[in-house]
Each structure stands twice: as structure tokens, then as C-alpha cells.
């Protein structure tokens, strides 16, 4: 006689077979890491380390005025980094955002001077920013030009236009206007208005990317544009739309530059912002090949860059080294992405 040793599935008292209970044995620490993300935790630890080192070297770092300086400094870079993240997730890149910010800074001040209306100046600047984004998108879509080449060209073109209309000099004076002064020096709940502008834009971008069909389609296009096209997504419309949004947000950054400096700046205040935005997006986990990235990681990276730059200034480090640090961080971020992707590295036999 054979005796069966197979365990039967549990049966309830009513005769109905029930499924075995699945017990989650994942530790709370692992669940926390999974929820927050390894990339974000790494950035938080890096920020804490940099803050600790700088704070020990210079106690002025922790003063409220200096923290405000850091906050207002990262606001403009943060705006550009947020929209740069969206562009990168889409599988593209926008190197012209700094030039758009400079052009719209000049035009906002010049329109304000001509009309004596800050609202018209701001709206005019945003309209010009959208037009710049439309130009970028049309060059990429209809000219079939690589986004890097296209926006590298418009980087020079938009900067040239800003210098031509301003004769290479700061334009207008906005330091006495309530709207621009409020943007530059106003506070809400103890935080500068510039920070609140960044928070609003970042939250809107996060919600769109995470909870809407538009956001899911942006990830899909960046992840696999061929499959997205076959799935019925109008890729050209998304490319043009994202670049127009990028131009609008870059214009908001230009308006903030005008507010902070009290005049329209064709180059000063905007030059190099594109590199900082790309660096922050890459450090925050946005894959330069597209299809991956999150606004939260980008904001943490912006804070890290802001703290590092401010700390180097407080410690008297040569400003040239700040550029070296930013370039190094960008290289490190891209190398880490490549290693995580698991792809075969060029030149190394596998």
C-alpha cells in the first residue's frame, strides 16, 4: 500500500478550497529603500555629507541668510533642471535652455520699459520662450535633426539674438517695480517666492509624469519610440509639445533672472545654466537614453549642486574649480548609469 505524502491545499469549514496566506518577509529597511529609491537615498546621504563637511569648516553655512542664498540660487537652475528631466525622459536633450532664459530676461525688461507693465513684460517673455521651444521642436521633427545638434545650434542663435537686441548690455531697470521686487525678495511662509515658484513647477511636472496618460506616453516614447509609434502615440506632437513647455519654463527662469538682477541680462546670469540643468537631471537618475527619470531625484541633485557651489564659495575655492566639479559630477553620473545598464562597455572584451 502506498501512502501519499502530498500536502493538500487548506480547505475551509464550508468545503471551499482557500489560497495559502502569503507572508511579506521583506524587512522594513528594504521596503523603505524600495519606496524612496537607491538613487534618492544616495543623493540624500551625499547632501548630508557635504553639509557636514562645509558646516564644520565654516559655521556661517548654517545661518538663515546663507540658507536663503542657497534657496534662491537653486530656484533658477531647478526650473531648468525639471524641464530638462522631462526632455531627457522623452529621449531628447535641450542645450538651449540657458540661452532662452537669457533672451527672455532681456525681452521681459525691454517690454516692461516700453509698456510700464510687469504683467505684459512677463507674458511677452513667456510667449517668446514658447516660440523658441516651437522652433526647437520643428527643427527636430521636420528637419529630422538630432536634438543635441539642433539645440546646440539654437543655443548660439538665441544667445546671438539676445545680444543683438540688447547691444550686449543689460536692459531696463525693474528694481522699483512691485512685481519684480516681490519675485526677488518676497517670502511666503518664511520661504522665498523663488523657491515657491520652483516647488509649484516641480509638483506639476511630477503629477503629470506620474499620474497622467501624457506622462506615461512621455516615458513610453523615451523607452521605445518605435513601439510607441506602433501603439498609436503621435511622437512628433509630443516632441514639439515638450519643447514648447521647456521654452515656457525657461522663460519663467529668465523672468526670475530679471527680478534678481533688477535688469534684463542677455548673457550674465544665464550662461552655463544648460550644463547645470543637464548635470542635475543626470545626477537625479534621468537616463540620457530616455525612458527613465523622476522629478524628486532631480530636485535632490539640484540641492546637492547648490550646497556644493555655495560651500565652495564660502571656503574661498576658486570659481574655476566649481566648473571642474560640475563637469566631474556629470561624468560620474553618466558612468554610473552606464554601469547600471549592464551593457557591454566599448573597448573592453566581454
Amino acid at each position: 500500500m502506498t501512502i501519499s505524502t502530498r500536502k493538500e491545499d487548506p480547505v475551509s469549514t464550508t468545503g471551499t478550497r482557500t489560497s495559502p496566506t502569503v507572508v511579506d518577509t521583506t524587512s522594513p529597511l528594504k521596503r523603505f529603500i524600495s519606496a524612496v529609491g537607491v538613487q534618492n537615498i544616495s543623493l540624500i546621504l551625499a547632501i548630508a555629507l557635504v553639509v557636514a563637511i562645509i558646516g564644520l569648516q565654516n559655521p556661517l553655512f548654517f545661518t538663515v541668510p546663507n540658507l536663503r542664498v542657497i534657496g534662491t540660487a537653486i530656484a533658477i537652475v531647478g526650473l531648468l533642471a525639471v524641464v530638462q528631466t522631462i526632455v531627457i525622459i522623452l529621449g531628447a536633450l535641450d542645450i538651449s535652455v540657458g540661452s532662452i532664459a537669457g533672451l527672455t530676461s532681456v525681452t521681459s525688461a525691454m517690454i516692461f520699459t516700453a509698456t510700464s507693465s510687469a504683467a505684459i513684460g512677463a507674458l511677452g517673455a513667456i510667449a517668446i520662450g514658447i516660440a523658441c521651444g516651437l522652433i526647437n521642436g520643428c527643427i527636430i521633427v521636420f528637419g529630422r535633426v538630432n536634438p543635441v545638434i539642433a539645440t546646440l545650434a539654437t543655443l548660439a542663435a538665441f544667445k546671438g539674438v539676445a545680444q543683438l537686441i540688447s547691444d550686449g548690455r543689460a536692459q531696463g531697470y525693474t528694481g522699483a517695480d512691485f512685481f519684480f521686487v516681490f519675485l526677488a525678495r518676497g517670502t511666503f511662509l518664511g520661504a522665498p517666492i523663488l523657491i515657491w515658484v520652483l516647488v509649484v513647477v516641480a509638483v506639476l511636472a511630477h503629477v503629470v509624469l506620474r499620474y497622467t496618460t501624457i506622462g506615461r506616453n512621455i516615458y513610453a516614447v523615451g523607452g521605445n519610440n518605435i513601439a510607441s509609434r506602433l501603439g498609436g502615440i503621435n511622437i512628433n506632437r509630443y516632441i514639439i509639445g515638450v519643447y514648447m513647455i521647456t521654452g515656457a519654463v525657461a522663460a519663467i527662469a529668465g523672468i526670475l533672472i530679471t527680478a534678481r538682477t533688477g535688469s534684463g541680462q542677455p548673457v550674465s546670469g544665464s550662461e552655463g545654466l544648460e550644463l547645470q540643468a543637464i548635470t542635475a537631471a543626470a545626477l537625479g537618475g534621468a537616463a540620457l537614453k530616455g525612458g527613465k527619470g523622476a522629478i524628486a531625484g532631480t530636485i535632490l541633485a539640484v540641492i546637492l549642486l547648490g550646497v556644493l557651489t555655495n560651500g565652495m564659495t564660502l571656503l574661498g575655492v576658486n570659481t574655476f574649480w566649481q566648473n571642474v566639479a560640475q563637469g566631474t559630477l556629470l561624468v560620474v553620473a553618466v558612468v554610473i548609469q552606464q554601469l547600471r545598464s549592464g551593457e557591454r562597455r566599448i573597448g573592453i572584451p566581454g
Side-chain angles (χ1 to χ4, degrees):
M1 182 176 66
T2 304
I3 300 175
S4 175
T5 58
R6 184 174 63 88
K7 293 184 178 180
E8 297 291 340
D9 292 335
V11 179
S12 66
T13 55
T14 60
T16 304
R17 193 176 301 276
T18 60
S19 299
T21 304
V22 179
V23 180
D24 185 4
T25 58
T26 306
S27 68
L29 178 60
K30 288 184 177 180
R31 287 199 295 269
F32 172 78
I33 293 175
S34 177
V36 178
V38 176
Q39 183 82 22
N40 292 345
I41 291 177
S42 300
L43 288 169
I44 292 171
L45 293 176
I47 293 170
L49 179 62
V50 172
V51 167
I53 293 173
I54 297 172
L56 290 174
Q57 297 292 323
N58 193 327
L60 292 176
F61 177 82
F62 293 107
T63 60
V64 173
N66 186 62
L67 294 178
R68 286 180 180 273
V69 168
I70 296 174
T72 54
I74 68 174
I76 295 172
V77 177
L79 287 173
L80 299 181
V82 166
V83 287
Q84 190 72 254
T85 300
I86 299 175
V87 175
I88 291 174
I89 292 172
L90 187 70
L93 202 65
D94 191 346
I95 306 177
S96 68
V97 287
S99 293
I100 296 176
L103 175 59
T104 52
S105 173
V106 167
T107 52
S108 66
M110 294 179 70
I111 294 173
F112 166 73
T113 301
T115 62
S116 299
S117 172
I120 295 177
L123 292 175
I126 292 174
I128 291 172
I130 294 173
C132 290
L134 177 62
I135 291 171
N136 282 336
C138 288
I139 291 173
I140 294 167
V141 170
F142 300 111
R144 298 182 181 276
V145 180
N146 181 283
V148 175
I149 303 300
T151 56
L152 184 61
T154 54
L155 162 75
F158 295 152
K159 182 184 294 184
V161 171
Q163 292 172 323
L164 281 172
I165 64 176
S166 65
D167 199 24
R169 299 193 300 266
Q171 295 292 315
Y173 176 69
T174 61
D177 180 77
F178 172 79
F179 174 76
F180 286 105
V181 171
F182 178 70
L183 283 179
R185 303 186 184 90
T187 61
F188 178 69
L189 298 178
I193 294 299
L194 278 76
I195 290 295
W196 285 110
V197 174
L198 172 59
V199 168
V200 170
V201 172
V203 169
L204 287 175
H206 172 76
V207 170
V208 169
L209 286 175
R210 191 176 180 92
Y211 300 107
T212 68
T213 302
I214 293 175
R216 288 190 290 271
N217 288 344
I218 289 174
Y219 277 104
V221 171
N224 190 326
N225 58 5
I226 296 176
S228 299
R229 183 179 286 108
L230 294 175
I233 298 176
N234 190 326
I235 295 177
N236 291 345
R237 183 181 298 172
Y238 272 89
I239 292 173
I240 292 175
V242 166
Y243 273 97
M244 289 175 68
I245 292 171
T246 301
V249 176
I252 295 174
I255 294 168
L256 296 185
I257 291 173
T258 300
R260 286 191 64 193
T261 59
S263 59
Q265 302 292 332
V267 176
S268 178
S270 61
E271 193 167 27
L273 289 178
E274 55 281 328
L275 175 61
Q276 295 178 52
I278 294 171
T279 302
L283 275 176
L288 296 180
K289 293 183 178 181
K292 181 182 177 183
I295 300 300
T298 297
I299 294 299
L300 288 173
V302 168
I303 294 173
L304 174 61
L305 290 174
V307 168
L308 184 62
T309 301
N310 178 265
M312 294 176 74
T313 301
L314 286 179
L315 298 178
V317 178
N318 191 310
T319 54
F320 298 145
W321 282 108
Q322 296 179 18
N323 294 329
V324 173
Q326 290 180 14
T328 303
L329 284 174
L330 179 57
V331 171
V332 169
V334 175
V335 169
I336 291 174
Q337 285 183 13
Q338 188 66 23
L339 293 175
R340 283 183 174 177
S341 68
E343 293 183 4
R344 180 179 179 272
R345 284 163 283 181
I346 298 174
I348 299 178

